[in-house]
Amino acid sequence: MEIVSPDTEVDVIRIEKGPTSIETFHDEAFSIPEVLKLVNKFKTQYDAIIINCFGDPGVHAARELANIPIIGPGATSMHVAALLGHKFAVISIMKNAGPWTEMQARETGLEGKLAYAVGIDIPVLELEANENRTVEEIIKEGKKAIEEYKAEVIVLGCCGMIRVAKTIETRLKVPVIEPVATSLAVAEALVRTGLKHSRAHLYMYPNLSKIMRYKQ
Amino acid sequence: MEIVSPDTEVDVIRIEKGPTSIETFHDEAFSIPEVLKLVNKFKTQYDAIIINCFGDPGVHAARELANIPIIGPGATSMHVAALLGHKFAVISIMKNAGPWTEMQARETGLEGKLAYAVGIDIPVLELEANENRTVEEIIKEGKKAIEEYKAEVIVLGCCGMIRVAKTIETRLKVPVIEPVATSLAVAEALVRTGLKHSRAHLYMYPNLSKIMRYKQ
Amino acid sequence: MEIVSPDTEVDVIRIEKGPTSIETFHDEAFSIPEVLKLVNKFKTQYDAIIINCFGDPGVHAARELANIPIIGPGATSMHVAALLGHKFAVISIMKNAGPWTEMQARETGLEGKLAYAVGIDIPVLELEANENRTVEEIIKEGKKAIEEYKAEVIVLGCCGMIRVAKTIETRLKVPVIEPVATSLAVAEALVRTGLKHSRAHLYMYPNLSKIMRYKQ
Amino acid sequence: MEIVSPDTEVDVIRIEKGPTSIETFHDEAFSIPEVLKLVNKFKTQYDAIIINCFGDPGVHAARELANIPIIGPGATSMHVAALLGHKFAVISIMKNAGPWTEMQARETGLEGKLAYAVGIDIPVLELEANENRTVEEIIKEGKKAIEEYKAEVIVLGCCGMIRVAKTIETRLKVPVIEPVATSLAVAEALVRTGLKHSRAHLYMYPNLSKIMRYKQ
Amino acid sequence: MEIVSPDTEVDVIRIEKGPTSIETFHDEAFSIPEVLKLVNKFKTQYDAIIINCFGDPGVHAARELANIPIIGPGATSMHVAALLGHKFAVISIMKNAGPWTEMQARETGLEGKLAYAVGIDIPVLELEANENRTVEEIIKEGKKAIEEYKAEVIVLGCCGMIRVAKTIETRLKVPVIEPVATSLAVAEALVRTGLKHSRAHLYMYPNLSKIMRYKQ
Amino acid sequence: MEIVSPDTEVDVIRIEKGPTSIETFHDEAFSIPEVLKLVNKFKTQYDAIIINCFGDPGVHAARELANIPIIGPGATSMHVAALLGHKFAVISIMKNAGPWTEMQARETGLEGKLAYAVGIDIPVLELEANENRTVEEIIKEGKKAIEEYKAEVIVLGCCGMIRVAKTIETRLKVPVIEPVATSLAVAEALVRTGLKHSRAHLYMYPNLSKIMRYKQ
């Protein structure tokens, strides 16, 4: 069975400027305007948009712009993880990933379900080049998460870990959430049920003409 | 678009003994052994099982029995609601629904996202017979939830409210989570991504021969 | 001084069918209808009923049935423990005891007081046969709880650990809550002060005639 | 049945200096040294000591001094209330009682169970002189607590409300915790089970000779 | 006495592009790169930098760039408010301010101290033009915060409310936190004590050369 | 730059009776009446008062007495620490410091930001005599706090650690909060901005004539 159903199509669109990867708040800050320009451009051409980074950059602003589901892989993965066991762990990339993930968990309301959060200290763009080391570091932290911190589910905290996900799951013998696949499946679930974000309080319609001297 | 994709089939199976509806802990207690007998019987014939009651009766024991996704509509609906706005409300049936839902929210870890929980005081089996009154009571509580308690998403806290869901959403103008449809979509998402509950800590394999003098 | 005062009598009544011990959610599920049948039968003959398992099986449904104090040894022991020190630990039986106890602590509202929860991986019915091993495992985890996790009070998380309680307390030199004795003393305290559970919101009166094809 | 069992005796001892009642932090501050002098004097003559004020003045310092149960009526009443329903309210005396009670609930770990806390704005020493007004004010706030804030149990937040407790319970039709009776019953329960506060971490043995120029 | 001491100088520097005011996540997203360019340019010329918007836009990324205190007026005002009373309220501008402030409070760890958060629905750039209406709306919500939600301190949730702050304080008779003055005073306090943000875990040094096709 | 600005003067006033240092709740209890007598005597002669002990003895009662800022070094240091990183640790003196600090953190609402709390088991009056051992013990626990518990900021949990603060900061390479300096800087910030504690709910005006047989 495929991750998306036979009647679903997926396109991948890249930002044209901005950071080559997102590892710091600074990287994230420079990615968001570019993400938003794409969301604004494509918001009527798709049924849902996934912002393909675990840090969910610009997800709130994108929801202000669009009336289709905007999927943040971080929040989505954590909610799915919470459905599969008592507590989950997030294993991510840089050393700032521990506290940053805790901040994300607090924002989603799931801090009570987060057993452990850690980075393996391998930059995003080297994850695949060092696939062996990537796998071994994730396994090491995964075992610690399961045995010491009693995590039941491992969330891969980076959208660039897709190639190693199955290996990790086979070796750790617990559910492993790969955020890209999970985001696709949840996006489809939302579209099928006709659900999208609320406009009641948090998400207003932004006034694009207020942004001075930016080309949208 | 249908709630399930073209390659998914859904069967509905009813318990043979037990309560005619679940409105009290007592009702729930007598439903669970029957639910578990069905889960045990069908666990190798399906890709996922939804226990079709918002109170998620027997979901933990069913996960002990089965190695396929076991969906509790209550926990599932609350996690999806948390993805769509800052806070959600649950509108359910009897007057005990307020504190009972708060207990469920604490179990899922989402108590910080629950703005309001209430029952409309109409028994499950009368929801459809009094469809007008059912709608008006839900609308009244829904408006209170949105305006006073700042809920952004309304969760219908009973699997017997499916007929009124669209009307409620049209009138309240916020996302309305209908738990049966949401459970079907999430069940499919889990099956597509190959995810199911963890066996690391909480869910052991039960020994059925320990249950004295019950016919399984 | 005895655990109960001179004017109190205690009877022990066993369920007639169901699990020989409760170690999984599945065991618990099959015990609850039997517990409820006994509660319903005896609810007017006693001043209070203790449901003698740390998992508090059926305590909410029993309160729906009865207008006398229904004591759950788990919740009761945790509240008493919270009165005796800053944080407590619960040492229980199987490996699922860690997360299960955390779920119980969340339900009681005491998760902030729970320093550590663990199972010693000895089945209930072997606790007494292996009394030495039982003691040594509890001591090992108890020391860890006190030294590493800063627990001040140890709660024995099983009603079958009564024979080893004094030994544990003598060796660990902190208060040890034995749930059966604690439940008896609290039951008496509630009866003396005329207190029982509220009927305001959570506990409705169940309609027994709704349970189809069960002999009550 | 009496609140204490036939083999229990109760003595009442008053402080010799200090505030005539405790309504502010300032009152409390000047009561504590006097309470501690009495605890130190009588700690070997009794099986347990209740510090008879809902604010639990000096309870931590008293536990440092004594190796018998030291009962704080505030914390004790809140833990018993939590055993009897989903949420409780505390109705106390002055207008500072709302936030002060919330501080106490946070200290006990029970803030998640506190539905509502309020003072009726009648000084302690006028509670009995204005018994009618005392009753009516408590009833008014009690109804608000039950209907608006969904409290299931009412805790009387002052040890001087003992005369009105039964009237309040009869009229509000929910369990009403009177802190003096509850403290007596819990004190007896602790003595019978041989439990007292832990010496593991929080409660050290104080060095009385460090207190310069005070007569102990 | 002045808000800053005699030996402190304050300069105001404006972003050159981006939103004319910040009222949505979208506005914020387009302000942050401009804020960061200024922080990077001036980080060695000042002893501390205040990012003058209550939403604290870019504060985390700015701390990655700079080794001087970076003050976010929102988090700073909430921590100072927490020092002055049991609970505080934040009164801000647009209707999205309620949930947005709750998100900020969760990030600072102060959600338990936030009694109420609301927007008065007057855009930033009209606050001064409609000074009378601004004052009356803040007073109306302030009274509600104090009387109904038991707030003790009012935080003005916008850096453009400086002109009305004294009037509000005089009329509400509780401490009113004006975020610009508070940020200046706390900035000076941090500089005097030699404190700045930690580099231990969360704040790494960003690699500016990773940002493709942006002029820094 | 000095910790206080050129136009600020600081006086140190000592209590005349009571404990020689505060290491237990008992010590604290006997210090508070003396602290309050001084606060009452000097409350109109100063712009702000710091109660110079990390346990913040009598801070709430002092605020009832005085209409100037009353600074508790413990709460103040924890709020400043929370501004400088994701989580902080408190390293204090006796072994009871761990749970006692956790109680303080809960009172300030900052328990979610406290990574670790511990005492080094050196009495207050020996901190300076054993300066070397003091430093080494703090370094040992500080490293544990940073590496194992992911603290970003170290708070010195005693006002008698002022001499070693700089050494600790130099060696640990994270911000170290020395509570006396921090209290001075925050006191000045409050005075400059005209802020003091609220009189809305928690802090009433105490009636000093109620304190029988004490010389004020």
Side-chain angles (χ1 to χ4, degrees), chain C residues 85-126:
Chain C
H86 181 58
K87 293 207 175 162
F88 61 85
V90 180
I91 301 176
S92 190
I93 36 169
M94 307 310 285
K95 72 165 184 164
N96 59 2
W100 197 344
T101 301
E102 285 178 22
M103 289 167 68
Q104 281 190 279
R106 282 184 74 81
E107 190 177 307
T108 61
L110 288 172
E111 71 274 17
K113 293 288 180 182
L114 178 66
Y116 182 56
V118 76
I120 56 171
D121 211 14
I122 302 179
V124 175
L125 301 180
E126 296 174 26

Coordinates of all heavy atoms in Angstrom, one line a residue, chain C residues 85-126:
Chain C
G85 N 5.5 13.8 52.2 CA 6.8 14.2 51.6 C 6.6 14.9 50.3 O 5.5 14.9 49.7
H86 N 7.7 15.5 49.8 CA 7.7 16.3 48.6 C 7.3 15.5 47.4 O 6.5 15.9 46.6 CB 9.0 17.0 48.4 CG 9.0 17.9 47.2 ND1 8.2 18.9 47.1 CD2 9.8 17.9 46.1 CE1 8.5 19.6 46.0 NE2 9.4 18.9 45.4
K87 N 7.9 14.3 47.2 CA 7.6 13.5 46.1 C 7.6 12.0 46.5 O 8.2 11.6 47.5 CB 8.6 13.7 45.0 CG 8.6 15.1 44.4 CD 9.1 15.1 42.9 CE 8.8 16.5 42.3 NZ 9.7 16.7 41.2
F88 N 6.9 11.2 45.8 CA 6.8 9.7 46.1 C 7.1 8.9 44.8 O 7.1 9.4 43.7 CB 5.4 9.4 46.7 CG 4.3 9.6 45.7 CD1 3.9 8.6 44.8 CD2 3.5 10.8 45.8 CE1 2.8 8.9 43.9 CE2 2.5 11.0 44.9 CZ 2.1 10.0 44.0
A89 N 7.4 7.6 45.1 CA 7.7 6.7 44.0 C 6.7 5.5 44.2 O 6.3 5.2 45.3 CB 9.1 6.2 44.0
V90 N 6.3 4.9 43.1 CA 5.5 3.7 43.1 C 6.3 2.5 42.5 O 6.7 2.6 41.4 CB 4.2 3.9 42.4 CG1 3.3 2.6 42.4 CG2 3.4 5.1 42.9
I91 N 6.4 1.5 43.3 CA 7.1 0.3 42.9 C 6.1 -0.9 42.8 O 5.4 -1.2 43.7 CB 8.2 -0.1 43.8 CG1 9.2 1.0 43.9 CG2 8.9 -1.4 43.3 CD1 10.4 0.8 44.9
S92 N 5.9 -1.4 41.5 CA 4.8 -2.3 41.3 C 5.4 -3.6 40.6 O 6.6 -3.9 40.7 CB 3.8 -1.6 40.4 OG 2.6 -2.3 40.3
I93 N 4.5 -4.3 39.9 CA 4.9 -5.6 39.5 C 5.5 -5.8 38.1 O 6.7 -5.9 37.9 CB 3.7 -6.6 39.7 CG1 2.4 -5.9 39.4 CG2 3.7 -7.1 41.1 CD1 1.2 -6.9 39.3
M94 N 4.7 -5.7 37.1 CA 5.2 -6.0 35.7 C 5.8 -4.7 35.1 O 5.7 -3.6 35.6 CB 4.0 -6.5 34.8 CG 3.2 -7.6 35.4 SD 4.3 -9.0 36.0 CE 4.7 -9.7 34.4
K95 N 6.5 -5.0 33.9 CA 7.2 -3.9 33.3 C 6.3 -2.8 32.8 O 6.7 -1.6 32.6 CB 8.1 -4.4 32.2 CG 7.3 -4.8 30.9 CD 8.2 -5.0 29.7 CE 7.3 -5.3 28.5 NZ 7.9 -5.2 27.2
N96 N 5.0 -3.1 32.6 CA 4.0 -2.1 32.1 C 3.6 -1.1 33.3 O 2.9 -0.2 33.1 CB 2.8 -2.7 31.5 CG 2.0 -3.6 32.4 OD1 2.4 -3.8 33.6 ND2 0.9 -4.2 31.9
A97 N 4.1 -1.4 34.5 CA 3.7 -0.7 35.7 C 4.1 0.8 35.6 O 3.5 1.7 36.2 CB 4.2 -1.3 36.9
G98 N 5.3 1.0 35.0 CA 5.8 2.4 35.0 C 4.8 3.3 34.3 O 4.2 4.2 34.9
P99 N 4.5 3.1 33.0 CA 3.6 4.1 32.3 C 2.1 4.0 32.9 O 1.4 5.0 32.9 CB 3.6 3.6 30.9 CG 4.3 2.3 30.8 CD 5.2 2.2 32.0
W100 N 1.7 2.7 33.3 CA 0.4 2.6 33.8 C 0.2 3.5 35.1 O -0.8 4.2 35.3 CB 0.1 1.1 34.1 CG -1.4 0.8 34.2 CD1 -2.4 1.6 34.5 CD2 -2.0 -0.5 34.1 NE1 -3.6 0.9 34.5 CE2 -3.4 -0.4 34.3 CE3 -1.4 -1.8 33.9 CZ2 -4.2 -1.5 34.3 CZ3 -2.3 -2.9 33.9 CH2 -3.7 -2.8 34.1
T101 N 1.2 3.4 36.0 CA 1.1 4.2 37.2 C 1.1 5.7 36.8 O 0.4 6.5 37.5 CB 2.3 3.9 38.1 OG1 2.3 2.5 38.4 CG2 2.3 4.7 39.4
E102 N 1.9 6.1 35.8 CA 1.9 7.5 35.4 C 0.5 7.9 34.9 O 0.1 9.0 35.2 CB 2.9 7.8 34.3 CG 4.4 7.8 34.8 CD 5.4 8.0 33.7 OE1 5.0 8.5 32.7 OE2 6.6 7.6 33.9
M103 N -0.2 7.0 34.2 CA -1.6 7.3 33.8 C -2.5 7.5 35.0 O -3.3 8.4 35.1 CB -2.1 6.2 32.9 CG -1.5 6.2 31.5 SD -1.8 4.6 30.6 CE -3.6 4.8 30.4
Q104 N -2.3 6.6 36.0 CA -3.1 6.7 37.3 C -2.8 8.1 38.0 O -3.7 8.7 38.5 CB -2.8 5.6 38.2 CG -3.5 4.3 37.9 CD -3.3 3.3 39.0 OE1 -2.2 2.6 39.1 NE2 -4.3 3.1 39.9
A105 N -1.5 8.4 38.0 CA -1.1 9.7 38.7 C -1.7 10.9 38.0 O -2.2 11.8 38.6 CB 0.4 9.8 38.8
R106 N -1.8 10.8 36.7 CA -2.4 11.9 35.9 C -3.9 12.0 36.3 O -4.5 13.1 36.4 CB -2.2 11.8 34.4 CG -0.8 12.2 33.9 CD -0.8 12.1 32.4 NE -1.5 13.1 31.8 CZ -1.0 14.4 31.6 NH1 0.2 14.7 32.0 NH2 -1.7 15.3 31.0
E107 N -4.5 10.8 36.4 CA -6.0 10.8 36.7 C -6.3 11.4 38.1 O -7.2 12.1 38.2 CB -6.5 9.4 36.6 CG -8.1 9.4 36.6 CD -8.7 8.1 36.5 OE1 -8.4 7.4 35.5 OE2 -9.5 7.7 37.4
T108 N -5.4 11.1 39.0 CA -5.6 11.7 40.4 C -5.2 13.1 40.5 O -5.4 13.8 41.5 CB -4.8 10.9 41.4 OG1 -3.4 11.0 41.1 CG2 -5.1 9.4 41.5
G109 N -4.5 13.6 39.5 CA -4.0 15.0 39.5 C -2.6 15.1 40.2 O -2.1 16.2 40.4
L110 N -2.0 14.0 40.5 CA -0.8 14.0 41.3 C 0.5 13.7 40.5 O 1.5 13.4 41.0 CB -0.9 12.9 42.4 CG -1.8 13.3 43.6 CD1 -2.0 12.2 44.5 CD2 -1.3 14.6 44.3
E111 N 0.4 13.9 39.2 CA 1.6 13.6 38.4 C 2.8 14.4 38.8 O 3.9 14.0 38.6 CB 1.3 13.7 36.9 CG 1.1 15.1 36.4 CD -0.3 15.6 36.5 OE1 -1.1 15.0 37.3 OE2 -0.7 16.6 35.9
G112 N 2.6 15.6 39.3 CA 3.7 16.5 39.7 C 4.4 16.0 41.0 O 5.5 16.5 41.3
K113 N 3.8 15.1 41.6 CA 4.4 14.5 42.9 C 5.0 13.2 42.7 O 5.6 12.6 43.6 CB 3.3 14.4 44.0 CG 2.7 15.7 44.4 CD 3.7 16.5 45.3 CE 3.2 17.8 45.8 NZ 4.2 18.5 46.6
L114 N 4.8 12.6 41.5 CA 5.4 11.2 41.3 C 6.8 11.3 40.8 O 7.1 11.8 39.7 CB 4.5 10.5 40.2 CG 4.9 9.1 39.8 CD1 4.8 8.2 40.9 CD2 4.1 8.7 38.6
A115 N 7.7 10.9 41.6 CA 9.1 11.0 41.2 C 9.6 9.9 40.3 O 10.4 10.1 39.4 CB 10.0 11.0 42.5
Y116 N 8.9 8.7 40.4 CA 9.5 7.5 39.7 C 8.4 6.4 39.8 O 7.7 6.3 40.9 CB 10.8 7.1 40.4 CG 11.5 5.9 39.8 CD1 11.9 5.9 38.5 CD2 11.8 4.8 40.6 CE1 12.5 4.8 38.0 CE2 12.5 3.7 40.1 CZ 12.9 3.7 38.8 OH 13.5 2.6 38.2
A117 N 8.2 5.7 38.8 CA 7.3 4.6 38.8 C 7.9 3.4 38.0 O 8.4 3.6 36.9 CB 6.0 5.0 38.2
V118 N 7.9 2.2 38.6 CA 8.6 1.1 37.9 C 7.9 -0.2 38.4 O 7.3 -0.3 39.4 CB 10.1 1.2 38.3 CG1 10.3 0.7 39.8 CG2 10.9 0.4 37.4
G119 N 8.1 -1.2 37.5 CA 7.7 -2.6 37.9 C 8.9 -3.5 38.1 O 10.0 -3.2 37.5
I120 N 8.8 -4.4 39.0 CA 10.0 -5.3 39.3 C 10.0 -6.6 38.5 O 10.9 -7.4 38.6 CB 10.0 -5.7 40.8 CG1 8.7 -6.4 41.3 CG2 10.3 -4.4 41.7 CD1 8.8 -6.9 42.7
D121 N 9.0 -6.7 37.6 CA 8.9 -7.8 36.7 C 8.8 -9.2 37.4 O 9.4 -10.2 37.0 CB 10.1 -7.8 35.7 CG 9.8 -8.4 34.4 OD1 8.6 -8.5 34.1 OD2 10.7 -8.6 33.6
I122 N 8.0 -9.3 38.4 CA 7.6 -10.5 39.1 C 6.1 -10.6 39.1 O 5.5 -9.7 39.6 CB 8.2 -10.6 40.5 CG1 9.7 -10.4 40.6 CG2 7.7 -11.9 41.2 CD1 10.3 -10.5 42.0
P123 N 5.5 -11.7 38.5 CA 4.1 -11.7 38.4 C 3.4 -11.8 39.8 O 4.1 -12.3 40.8 CB 3.8 -13.0 37.7 CG 5.0 -13.3 36.9 CD 6.2 -12.8 37.7
V124 N 2.2 -11.2 39.9 CA 1.5 -11.1 41.2 C 1.6 -12.5 42.0 O 1.9 -12.5 43.2 CB 0.1 -10.7 41.0 CG1 -0.7 -10.7 42.4 CG2 0.0 -9.3 40.4
L125 N 1.2 -13.5 41.3 CA 1.1 -14.8 42.0 C 2.4 -15.4 42.4 O 2.5 -16.4 43.1 CB 0.3 -15.8 41.2 CG -1.1 -15.3 40.8 CD1 -1.9 -16.3 40.0 CD2 -1.9 -14.9 42.1
E126 N 3.5 -14.8 42.0 CA 4.8 -15.3 42.4 C 5.5 -14.4 43.4 O 6.6 -14.7 43.9 CB 5.8 -15.5 41.1 CG 5.2 -16.5 40.2 CD 6.0 -16.6 38.9 OE1 7.2 -16.2 38.9 OE2 5.4 -16.9 37.9

